Amino acid sequence: MEATIRYAKSGDVNVAYQVTGQGPFDLVLVSGFVSHLDYDWQHPSSARLLERLGSFARLIRFDKRGTGLSDRAVGLPDLETRMDDVRAVMDAAGSDRAALFGYSEGGPLAILFAATYPQRVRALVLYGTYAKRMGPDSDYPWSETPEERAGYAAAVEREWGVEADLSRMAPGADESLARWWMARARASASPGSARDLVLMNSQADVRDALPVVQAPTLVIHRVGDRDARVEEGRYIAAHVPGARFVELPGDTHVPFWQPDDVVDEAEEFLTGIRPTRVEDRVLATILFTDLVGSTERAGALGDRAWTELLERHHQLVRRELTRFSGEEIDTAGDGFLALFDGPARAIRCALAIRDGLAELGLDVRAGVHTGEVERPRDGRPRGISVHTGARIAAAGFAGDVLVSATTRDLVAGSGLAFAERGEVALKGIGTRRLYAATA
């Protein structure tokens, strides 16, 4: 995101902030643990969170003092000092009154700010947060013991930039998020600072502030959250007057992994309108290709010659994908997965690949199917249609370009010719009528 990063002066400390979005009201994002204004745009899922929040509000984000792009050597600030930082950022951004979105460790700060400065908070959204962090008692039995928090702080320091607590924050995250998470952690704080932040955040106890919050409040929590238990979200909602509680499935603690259901709830609460989200689903034609007899051919040629031939195979397939406007999605060894927005182009591409590879002495089989495909911004296409395309390709023989009945019907009048192959059982899919494209 190309938006200027500015600095607000809070006492003697420079607090980095950024403003994006053009919405009719201001929304201040109070981040958990650590953040980094630049790195937070560098993963599609995190960027998705920020883009969606900025789609209905003027989004104001900042790196808490001691983290990210803000001044680092600032000691261990208490919540009162951090409230001063929020106020300084709002003043610098020209925001007299804003909604606050606090997640994880940002939740107690957002709660305390809303209770202390009610005239500056139009609404409060809390996600995956808590009221007390350490010292369980009869009123709040979910806190960890001092020994558990000390052990956790030591583990964070030891694993910072290697594991950095991802298994607790987003257990289902994929490899791309894991790499981004580690880089973001290293850029946001040092291992020693991360340890000190854990110990400082362990002192938080904002239970007495909950009944004082006057702003309309939404509390969102996932049932399987491993860092803050769902009972803690229920506790907050029960003690903030008039608060609404929304329980979501899943175990992700942070909001920037698969954020849409969180933002849906926040947007409806803050705007009064349930978002009509354009789903990450499209009608697409899937093409799978797979070399036949490649193991035997590789053995006969030897490693070096086979590697060179396989490289020529890749070049030819990619050339034809470009010619027929196909999108390469994945390649695994000697096979390709590609998507097309037109079924006729996908079939013609498959035929061209078959004929071109035959000149190299390579036999290929291909499967083509048209259907609904999920296209998440932070991952590869998925859905039953993708699996169907793979099974169709696997049902073919050398030289086959097999096409589902759905795809064949869509290309009527295109001049393509087909031979019927009958009903074919596709593993895990069921029986489908298939056709072989002949020209």
Side-chain angles (χ1 to χ4, degrees):
M1 170 61 67
E2 294 295 329
T4 302
I5 293 174
R6 303 184 184 279
Y7 289 87
K9 206 65 179 284
S10 181
D12 294 329
V13 174
N14 295 288
V15 180
Y17 74 95
Q18 186 181 56
V19 180
T20 56
Q22 301 290 329
F25 62 90
D26 291 342
L27 175 62
V28 177
L29 183 64
V30 186
S31 298
F33 199 24
V34 298
S35 63
H36 195 290
L37 294 176
D38 279 336
Y39 271 83
D40 285 354
W41 288 106
Q42 292 180 17
H43 188 272
S45 185
S46 178
R48 169 81 167 175
L49 169 71
L50 304 182
E51 289 168 354
R52 285 208 56 197
L53 292 175
S55 71
F56 61 85
R58 178 175 174 255
L59 180 62
I60 302 170
R61 301 162 46 242
F62 67 99
D63 288 335
K64 296 193 294 288
R65 61 169 63 202
T67 71
L69 299 177
S70 295
D71 284 349
R72 293 292 187 91
V74 294
L76 289 177
D78 55 20
L79 285 176
E80 181 178 349
T81 303
R82 290 192 168 193
M83 280 201 300
D84 292 340
D85 294 347
V86 175
R87 203 152 39 97
V89 167
M90 289 180 65
D91 289 344
S95 178
D96 295 326
R97 193 163 180 258
L100 265 58
F101 186 138
Y103 68 85
S104 190
E105 282 83 2
L109 176 57
I111 290 167
L112 199 58
F113 190 92
T116 306
Y117 303 105
Q119 72 280 7
R120 302 205 68 170
V121 180
R122 71 188 299 270
L124 180 63
V125 176
L126 303 168
Y127 171 74
T129 192
Y130 53 86
K132 183 184 182 185
R133 207 49 163 160
M134 184 173 67
D137 55 33
S138 59
D139 178 60
Y140 203 91
W142 312 287
S143 297
E144 293 182 325
T145 66
E147 294 76 19
E148 288 172 329
R149 292 304 293 174
Y152 176 55
V156 167
E157 179 182 18
R158 184 172 59 251
E159 299 167 359
W160 195 247
V162 180
E163 199 278 341
D165 207 26
L166 183 61
S167 61
R168 180 164 166 163
M169 300 296 157
D174 62 15
E175 184 180 346
S176 69
L177 189 117
R179 288 195 302 269
W180 167 80
W181 176 275
M182 304 312 166
R184 176 181 182 265
R186 291 189 295 268
S188 298
S190 68
S193 296
R195 174 204 61 220
D196 292 343
L197 284 167
V198 170
L199 295 175
M200 182 198 69
N201 291 330
S202 298
Q203 307 299 320
D205 184 351
V206 297
R207 288 179 292 175
D208 290 342
L210 297 176
V212 189
V213 174
Q214 300 178 41
T217 300
L218 171 67
V219 182
I220 309 171
H221 217 104
R222 295 196 186 276
V223 293
D225 193 321
R226 299 184 183 184
D227 188 71
R229 293 174 58 174
V230 69
E231 290 86 356
E232 298 182 77
R234 294 177 186 143
Y235 180 96
I236 293 171
H239 288 78
V240 173
R244 179 186 173 198
F245 180 68
V246 173
E247 195 171 290
L248 295 177
D251 56 7
T252 301
H253 176 67
V254 291
F256 41 75
W257 175 243
Q258 300 175 334
D260 282 320
D261 53 354
V262 176
V263 180
D264 285 348
E265 297 294 341
E267 182 175 352
E268 180 179 15
F269 179 76
L270 294 172
T271 67
I273 301 173
R274 184 73 178 180
T276 303
R277 193 189 336 150
V278 177
E279 296 291 342
D280 298 324
R281 295 185 176 90
V282 296
L283 182 69
T285 299
I286 301 103
L287 166 63
F288 275 92
T289 69
D290 178 43
L291 287 180
V292 179
S294 57
T295 302
E296 295 80 2
R297 188 72 184 279
L301 289 175
D303 291 344
R304 182 173 180 178
W306 174 248
T307 299
E308 292 175 354
L309 183 58
L310 196 59
E311 179 58 31
R312 294 177 66 189
H313 160 271
H314 282 35
Q315 291 173 354
L316 186 148
V317 172
R318 289 184 172 126
R319 183 176 70 242
E320 298 302 340
L321 289 177
T322 299
R323 184 157 74 101
F324 290 96
S325 302
E327 177 187 358
E328 179 184 336
I329 301 299
D330 194 17
T331 178
D334 54 16
F336 274 79
L337 162 61
L339 291 188
F340 295 77
D341 57 10
R345 283 197 297 276
I347 297 170
R348 290 193 171 99
C349 181
L351 292 169
I353 289 171
R354 181 195 64 186
D355 295 343
L357 291 178
E359 296 179 6
L360 298 179
L362 293 172
D363 292 323
V364 70
R365 59 185 176 183
V368 183
H369 175 61
T370 305
E372 184 180 75
V373 176
E374 289 188 55
R375 293 299 310 267
R377 294 166 61 100
D378 54 355
R380 58 177 286 170
R382 58 179 182 245
I384 190 63
S385 294
V386 177
H387 296 295
T388 302
R391 298 303 187 205
I392 291 173
F397 299 100
D400 279 346
V401 175
L402 295 185
V403 176
S404 67
T406 303
T407 303
R408 174 186 175 274
D409 291 346
L410 288 172
V411 299
S414 65
L416 290 164
F418 301 91
E420 186 171 347
R421 287 290 178 86
E423 299 286 336
V424 178
L426 305 178
K427 183 179 179 181
I429 304 296
T431 301
R432 296 288 188 275
R433 183 171 293 277
L434 301 183
Y435 299 82
T438 55

